Amino acid sequence: MAAAVLHDPLQFLKSGSAAPSAATIRSRGPVVACPKPHGQSRRIMANSEQKVVLITGCSSGIGLRIAVTLAKDEKKRYHVIATMRDLKKKDKLVEAAGDTYEKTLTLFPLDVCSDESVKQCINSVKDRHIDILINNAGVGLLGPVESISIEEMKRVFETNFFGVVRMIKEVMPDMKKKRSGHIVVMSSVMGLQGVIFNDVYTASKFAMEGFCESMAVQLMKFNIRLSMIEPGPVHTEFETKMMEDVAKMEYPGADADTVRYFKDVYLPSSIDIFEALGQTPEDIAKCTKKVIESSNPRFRNLTNSLYTPIVALKYADETGGLSVNTFYNLLFNFGPLMHITMSILKCLTCSCLRRRTISPN
């Protein structure tokens, strides 16, 4: 599944380029310092009845669609602070936002990997008032682990895990004082179920799931809700290019058999699953909007009902053998059967089923 948003067993991520040793894709990612001097508020045209929503990683894909979906809310219930690493990449967002830009949508630069940038960005908001934080920025890493350097692995954790922690730490004290707020974290089914050749990305999502599961208990005492959005495969415009890039890459340090399993077994199977089960960024945005508008938002929110049985395998057997053996057999012993099954599933499942998003209520 190349070129999907890195949220599933078949995704790499969207805006970025592959590293020479492994498929490293940047998406919804890091960002830079805010334009206003430290401690100075930026003017946000939100009225007293609007909720202020800050979203990280809005230059493309899911982050962009969430920002635009909320900014275009018919009842004008939200003022969106859309952030991205590099404001030179704002054109797609500005175009999609249309006449909501600089009305119900304000653009900030932000680097989730920088303590200073995070603090300056929140300080730039009037009274540091954030009602809803949506952590969407992330990077992906795909390939044989032998070919991935420790530094590359650290970069993934710096964004996917510590980037989320930075944002939560910065907004949490103010939300606690108000005793209200909603923190949303864009996770993945790979935060629930490990997937071959996505080892490091999966680990970063597992870490985030554990952190948030622990934090959710404390935050409830302060009337702050925490919700995980867990997409499976998500289509992006980078799909074709990503597939071509990954297939051509070299993987130094990995043995020939492992590289062959990755390129000739894993990648084709991933594409099959991606095409059969994939959702769009719009689907994930609609799901996220449902979650934040729910009177009693759930903690975990799988966006694709077709993934529920896959995740359930893990919890059906406390030894872990059922899920591990099932995925092994599907990939290495029943590859042709899996291909046929995914092809049939793609034909039989109408778009409304394949794109069905969760209903929080």
mmCIF file of all heavy atoms in Angstrom, residues 204-225:
data_model
loop_
_atom_site.group_PDB
_atom_site.id
_atom_site.type_symbol
_atom_site.label_atom_id
_atom_site.label_comp_id
_atom_site.label_asym_id
_atom_site.label_seq_id
_atom_site.Cartn_x
_atom_site.Cartn_y
_atom_site.Cartn_z
ATOM 1 N N SER A 204 5.806 3.193 17.667
ATOM 2 C CA SER A 204 5.508 4.577 18.050
ATOM 3 C C SER A 204 4.022 4.758 18.344
ATOM 4 O O SER A 204 3.638 5.510 19.243
ATOM 5 C CB SER A 204 5.959 5.553 16.954
ATOM 6 O OG SER A 204 5.124 5.484 15.808
ATOM 7 N N LYS A 205 3.176 4.051 17.595
ATOM 8 C CA LYS A 205 1.736 4.145 17.816
ATOM 9 C C LYS A 205 1.313 3.382 19.074
ATOM 10 O O LYS A 205 0.423 3.815 19.803
ATOM 11 C CB LYS A 205 0.981 3.629 16.589
ATOM 12 C CG LYS A 205 1.125 4.513 15.359
ATOM 13 C CD LYS A 205 0.562 5.909 15.611
ATOM 14 C CE LYS A 205 0.611 6.780 14.362
ATOM 15 N NZ LYS A 205 0.066 8.135 14.595
ATOM 16 N N PHE A 206 1.950 2.235 19.324
ATOM 17 C CA PHE A 206 1.678 1.507 20.562
ATOM 18 C C PHE A 206 2.032 2.378 21.767
ATOM 19 O O PHE A 206 1.305 2.406 22.765
ATOM 20 C CB PHE A 206 2.484 0.203 20.602
ATOM 21 C CG PHE A 206 1.730 -1.003 20.131
ATOM 22 C CD1 PHE A 206 1.444 -1.185 18.787
ATOM 23 C CD2 PHE A 206 1.319 -1.973 21.033
ATOM 24 C CE1 PHE A 206 0.763 -2.301 18.342
ATOM 25 C CE2 PHE A 206 0.627 -3.095 20.593
ATOM 26 C CZ PHE A 206 0.344 -3.274 19.256
ATOM 27 N N ALA A 207 3.170 3.053 21.691
ATOM 28 C CA ALA A 207 3.599 3.918 22.794
ATOM 29 C C ALA A 207 2.572 5.024 23.036
ATOM 30 O O ALA A 207 2.220 5.335 24.183
ATOM 31 C CB ALA A 207 4.967 4.527 22.485
ATOM 32 N N MET A 208 2.080 5.613 21.953
ATOM 33 C CA MET A 208 1.105 6.685 22.076
ATOM 34 C C MET A 208 -0.208 6.176 22.658
ATOM 35 O O MET A 208 -0.845 6.835 23.489
ATOM 36 C CB MET A 208 0.866 7.324 20.708
ATOM 37 C CG MET A 208 0.014 8.576 20.752
ATOM 38 S SD MET A 208 0.014 9.410 19.171
ATOM 39 C CE MET A 208 -0.796 8.199 18.126
ATOM 40 N N GLU A 209 -0.639 4.996 22.228
ATOM 41 C CA GLU A 209 -1.877 4.413 22.754
ATOM 42 C C GLU A 209 -1.757 4.179 24.261
ATOM 43 O O GLU A 209 -2.682 4.464 25.026
ATOM 44 C CB GLU A 209 -2.186 3.093 22.041
ATOM 45 C CG GLU A 209 -2.609 3.246 20.585
ATOM 46 C CD GLU A 209 -4.116 3.280 20.411
ATOM 47 O OE1 GLU A 209 -4.841 2.977 21.373
ATOM 48 O OE2 GLU A 209 -4.567 3.606 19.291
ATOM 49 N N GLY A 210 -0.620 3.645 24.691
ATOM 50 C CA GLY A 210 -0.425 3.400 26.112
ATOM 51 C C GLY A 210 -0.405 4.677 26.926
ATOM 52 O O GLY A 210 -0.994 4.761 28.012
ATOM 53 N N PHE A 211 0.278 5.688 26.407
ATOM 54 C CA PHE A 211 0.333 6.985 27.084
ATOM 55 C C PHE A 211 -1.066 7.572 27.229
ATOM 56 O O PHE A 211 -1.461 8.025 28.312
ATOM 57 C CB PHE A 211 1.235 7.935 26.284
ATOM 58 C CG PHE A 211 1.264 9.347 26.799
ATOM 59 C CD1 PHE A 211 2.092 9.692 27.855
ATOM 60 C CD2 PHE A 211 0.469 10.322 26.227
ATOM 61 C CE1 PHE A 211 2.127 10.998 28.344
ATOM 62 C CE2 PHE A 211 0.491 11.633 26.696
ATOM 63 C CZ PHE A 211 1.318 11.968 27.759
ATOM 64 N N CYS A 212 -1.818 7.567 26.137
ATOM 65 C CA CYS A 212 -3.146 8.180 26.155
ATOM 66 C C CYS A 212 -4.133 7.387 27.008
ATOM 67 O O CYS A 212 -4.990 7.967 27.685
ATOM 68 C CB CYS A 212 -3.677 8.314 24.727
ATOM 69 S SG CYS A 212 -2.787 9.536 23.734
ATOM 70 N N GLU A 213 -4.021 6.069 26.990
ATOM 71 C CA GLU A 213 -4.901 5.249 27.818
ATOM 72 C C GLU A 213 -4.680 5.563 29.298
ATOM 73 O O GLU A 213 -5.627 5.600 30.092
ATOM 74 C CB GLU A 213 -4.640 3.768 27.536
ATOM 75 C CG GLU A 213 -5.611 2.822 28.229
ATOM 76 C CD GLU A 213 -5.418 1.388 27.791
ATOM 77 O OE1 GLU A 213 -5.496 1.109 26.578
ATOM 78 O OE2 GLU A 213 -5.167 0.538 28.675
ATOM 79 N N SER A 214 -3.433 5.797 29.668
ATOM 80 C CA SER A 214 -3.123 6.157 31.053
ATOM 81 C C SER A 214 -3.616 7.568 31.380
ATOM 82 O O SER A 214 -4.204 7.809 32.439
ATOM 83 C CB SER A 214 -1.610 6.066 31.287
ATOM 84 O OG SER A 214 -1.134 4.774 31.012
ATOM 85 N N MET A 215 -3.373 8.519 30.450
ATOM 86 C CA MET A 215 -3.759 9.908 30.690
ATOM 87 C C MET A 215 -5.273 10.082 30.761
ATOM 88 O O MET A 215 -5.775 10.943 31.496
ATOM 89 C CB MET A 215 -3.219 10.800 29.562
ATOM 90 C CG MET A 215 -1.731 11.077 29.609
ATOM 91 S SD MET A 215 -1.227 11.981 31.092
ATOM 92 C CE MET A 215 -2.342 13.368 31.066
ATOM 93 N N ALA A 216 -6.006 9.291 30.008
ATOM 94 C CA ALA A 216 -7.462 9.455 29.931
ATOM 95 C C ALA A 216 -8.122 9.348 31.297
ATOM 96 O O ALA A 216 -9.099 10.048 31.591
ATOM 97 C CB ALA A 216 -8.051 8.417 28.977
ATOM 98 N N VAL A 217 -7.594 8.479 32.151
ATOM 99 C CA VAL A 217 -8.179 8.286 33.481
ATOM 100 C C VAL A 217 -8.026 9.554 34.314
ATOM 101 O O VAL A 217 -8.977 10.032 34.941
ATOM 102 C CB VAL A 217 -7.508 7.084 34.186
ATOM 103 C CG1 VAL A 217 -8.066 6.921 35.593
ATOM 104 C CG2 VAL A 217 -7.709 5.810 33.372
ATOM 105 N N GLN A 218 -6.809 10.121 34.317
ATOM 106 C CA GLN A 218 -6.573 11.347 35.079
ATOM 107 C C GLN A 218 -7.407 12.510 34.542
ATOM 108 O O GLN A 218 -7.999 13.276 35.303
ATOM 109 C CB GLN A 218 -5.089 11.721 35.013
ATOM 110 C CG GLN A 218 -4.754 13.016 35.738
ATOM 111 C CD GLN A 218 -3.428 13.600 35.320
ATOM 112 O OE1 GLN A 218 -3.215 14.806 35.358
ATOM 113 N NE2 GLN A 218 -2.501 12.747 34.894
ATOM 114 N N LEU A 219 -7.443 12.634 33.216
ATOM 115 C CA LEU A 219 -8.120 13.774 32.604
ATOM 116 C C LEU A 219 -9.624 13.772 32.871
ATOM 117 O O LEU A 219 -10.256 14.835 32.970
ATOM 118 C CB LEU A 219 -7.855 13.797 31.100
ATOM 119 C CG LEU A 219 -6.402 14.094 30.693
ATOM 120 C CD1 LEU A 219 -6.240 13.993 29.183
ATOM 121 C CD2 LEU A 219 -5.964 15.460 31.190
ATOM 122 N N MET A 220 -10.214 12.587 32.988
ATOM 123 C CA MET A 220 -11.651 12.521 33.273
ATOM 124 C C MET A 220 -11.988 13.238 34.579
ATOM 125 O O MET A 220 -13.070 13.820 34.714
ATOM 126 C CB MET A 220 -12.098 11.056 33.342
ATOM 127 C CG MET A 220 -12.240 10.388 31.996
ATOM 128 S SD MET A 220 -12.878 8.691 32.134
ATOM 129 C CE MET A 220 -14.556 9.017 32.686
ATOM 130 N N LYS A 221 -11.076 13.191 35.542
ATOM 131 C CA LYS A 221 -11.313 13.850 36.829
ATOM 132 C C LYS A 221 -11.433 15.358 36.664
ATOM 133 O O LYS A 221 -12.043 16.042 37.502
ATOM 134 C CB LYS A 221 -10.162 13.510 37.789
ATOM 135 C CG LYS A 221 -10.405 13.939 39.222
ATOM 136 C CD LYS A 221 -11.569 13.178 39.838
ATOM 137 C CE LYS A 221 -11.786 13.546 41.299
ATOM 138 N NZ LYS A 221 -13.001 12.897 41.848
ATOM 139 N N PHE A 222 -10.855 15.887 35.581
ATOM 140 C CA PHE A 222 -10.913 17.320 35.311
ATOM 141 C C PHE A 222 -11.928 17.647 34.206
ATOM 142 O O PHE A 222 -11.891 18.732 33.624
ATOM 143 C CB PHE A 222 -9.525 17.831 34.911
ATOM 144 C CG PHE A 222 -8.513 17.761 36.012
ATOM 145 C CD1 PHE A 222 -7.770 16.609 36.231
ATOM 146 C CD2 PHE A 222 -8.326 18.844 36.875
ATOM 147 C CE1 PHE A 222 -6.831 16.536 37.254
ATOM 148 C CE2 PHE A 222 -7.400 18.786 37.897
ATOM 149 C CZ PHE A 222 -6.659 17.621 38.098
ATOM 150 N N ASN A 223 -12.779 16.692 33.892
ATOM 151 C CA ASN A 223 -13.809 16.871 32.854
ATOM 152 C C ASN A 223 -13.201 17.112 31.473
ATOM 153 O O ASN A 223 -13.738 17.843 30.645
ATOM 154 C CB ASN A 223 -14.754 18.027 33.209
ATOM 155 C CG ASN A 223 -16.038 17.986 32.394
ATOM 156 O OD1 ASN A 223 -16.573 16.919 32.088
ATOM 157 N ND2 ASN A 223 -16.525 19.158 32.005
ATOM 158 N N ILE A 224 -12.036 16.517 31.229
ATOM 159 C CA ILE A 224 -11.375 16.605 29.918
ATOM 160 C C ILE A 224 -11.466 15.234 29.268
ATOM 161 O O ILE A 224 -11.112 14.224 29.870
ATOM 162 C CB ILE A 224 -9.895 17.011 30.061
ATOM 163 C CG1 ILE A 224 -9.785 18.365 30.777
ATOM 164 C CG2 ILE A 224 -9.209 17.069 28.700
ATOM 165 C CD1 ILE A 224 -8.362 18.706 31.209
ATOM 166 N N ARG A 225 -11.950 15.191 28.039
ATOM 167 C CA ARG A 225 -12.081 13.921 27.339
ATOM 168 C C ARG A 225 -10.881 13.708 26.420
ATOM 169 O O ARG A 225 -10.346 14.659 25.835
ATOM 170 C CB ARG A 225 -13.379 13.886 26.512
ATOM 171 C CG ARG A 225 -14.627 14.144 27.311
ATOM 172 C CD ARG A 225 -14.720 13.274 28.560
ATOM 173 N NE ARG A 225 -14.812 11.858 28.244
ATOM 174 C CZ ARG A 225 -15.955 11.174 28.198
ATOM 175 N NH1 ARG A 225 -17.100 11.791 28.459
ATOM 176 N NH2 ARG A 225 -15.961 9.893 27.910
#
